[in-house]
Amino acid sequence: MHTVLTHPLVKHRVTLMRDINTKPKQFRELVNEITEFLAFESLRDLKTVEVSVTTPIARTTGVKIADSIVIVPILRAGMGMLDAMLQVLPDAKVGVLGMQRNEETAESVPYYIKVPRARGDELAIVIDPMLATGGSACDAFDQLKKLGYRRIVFLNLIAAPEGIARVEKEHPDVPVFTAAKDDGLNSHFYIVPGLGDAGDRIFGTL
Ligand code: PRP
Ligand code: URA
């Protein structure tokens, strides 16, 4: 299952983010803002618990988040989405997955795994700006499932149809939320029109 955000506030920001003239500072700000919209849309069904609260006027009932959450950025570009996720989920844990894509074959190689083992029914929220061939994302979900995670959701800024199709085939239980579904991949496995190399644009290493 995949969901593409269609709100004009998101589309406006995606357009600015794609622009070759957008510098890293503004690029990072846009990544943050779009990530908050993705979190908002994707986490509607978080488990909550009823609590009582006393306002200056009266006693009433409200809700608090009851889910235990682990945010998992895929290094390195996924780090660009982490601040926004912690902004909306300040009590979440963070696990880190290092995946390096071989630029010739697009195969992903895990090089660093620092994710707590699942103890119960924690929700793992995987964040990575780009879903191209889907290799990195599918490897990340494989690693998380080996660590015991049964509830995984993937938040992403730009997705190629090829990557979405691979995730839906290999991990039909992982919903994908993206801010844009693009046309496809070029011969170097880059997303078209995309935004170039997300890591380079976030970290200024062009
Ligand atoms: C990028 C991106 C994804 C991956 C997507 O990372 O952040 O992790 O490519 O491509 P795929 O769907 O074909 O696997 P990259 O390996 O370039 O590393 P970086 O984040 O360190 O720049
Ligand atoms: N990784 C990126 O950063 N950009 C792409 O277009 C594909 C993979």
Side-chain angles (χ1 to χ4, degrees):
M1 195 270 287
H2 69 278
T3 304
V4 184
L5 270 54
T6 54
H7 199 291
L9 293 176
V10 174
K11 288 178 155 180
H12 175 86
R13 285 169 173 78
V14 169
T15 305
L16 292 173
M17 190 177 60
R18 289 186 193 278
D19 191 328
I20 192 172
N21 294 311
T22 297
K23 302 273 185 300
K25 178 176 184 293
Q26 192 193 2
F27 191 90
R28 287 191 292 267
E29 288 164 359
L30 291 163
V31 169
N32 274 322
E33 290 164 7
I34 297 167
T35 301
E36 287 193 12
F37 287 116
L38 281 167
F40 190 79
E41 183 63 31
S42 60
L43 302 177
R44 288 176 186 279
D45 297 329
L46 277 187
K47 291 180 191 157
T48 55
V49 61
E50 247 186 39
V51 293
S52 84
V53 58
T54 308
T55 79
I57 310 296
R59 202 172 168 75
T60 184
T61 51
V63 296
K64 282 195 171 168
I65 293 169
D67 249 327
S68 178
I69 296 168
V70 182
I71 302 167
V72 184
I74 301 181
L75 299 180
R76 104 194 119 140
M79 293 300 287
M81 300 169 72
L82 182 59
D83 279 356
M85 291 306 296
L86 287 173
Q87 195 68 35
V88 294
L89 293 167
D91 297 325
K93 294 183 185 137
V94 178
V96 170
L97 275 181
M99 300 276 171
Q100 184 64 48
R101 200 173 83 126
N102 178 319
E103 291 301 339
E104 253 129 64
T105 63
E107 260 175 74
S108 85
V109 185
Y111 63 88
Y112 185 71
I113 301 173
K114 192 81 183 171
V115 182
R117 182 165 276 285
R119 294 202 196 124
D121 69 342
E122 293 99 321
L123 175 67
I125 307 176
V126 179
I127 49 177
D128 189 332
M130 308 306 274
L131 177 61
T133 64
S136 310
C138 285
D139 273 359
F141 307 149
D142 285 336
Q143 299 293 342
L144 291 173
K145 286 178 180 177
K146 276 190 211 154
L147 289 166
Y149 289 89
R150 293 291 163 262
R151 293 170 64 216
I152 303 173
V153 58
F154 183 53
L155 308 194
N156 159 257
L157 302 183
I158 311 264
E162 293 90 330
I164 291 176
R166 180 160 172 189
V167 171
E168 288 181 339
K169 182 160 180 271
E170 293 184 19
H171 294 277
D173 54 323
V174 178
V176 174
F177 288 83
T178 185
K181 184 172 175 179
D182 276 9
D183 300 340
L185 300 174
N186 67 15
S187 56
H188 300 289
F189 307 105
Y190 269 76
I191 300 173
V192 182
L195 48 72
D197 187 304
D200 283 344
R201 298 203 58 185
I202 290 167
F203 295 111
T205 50
L206 285 167

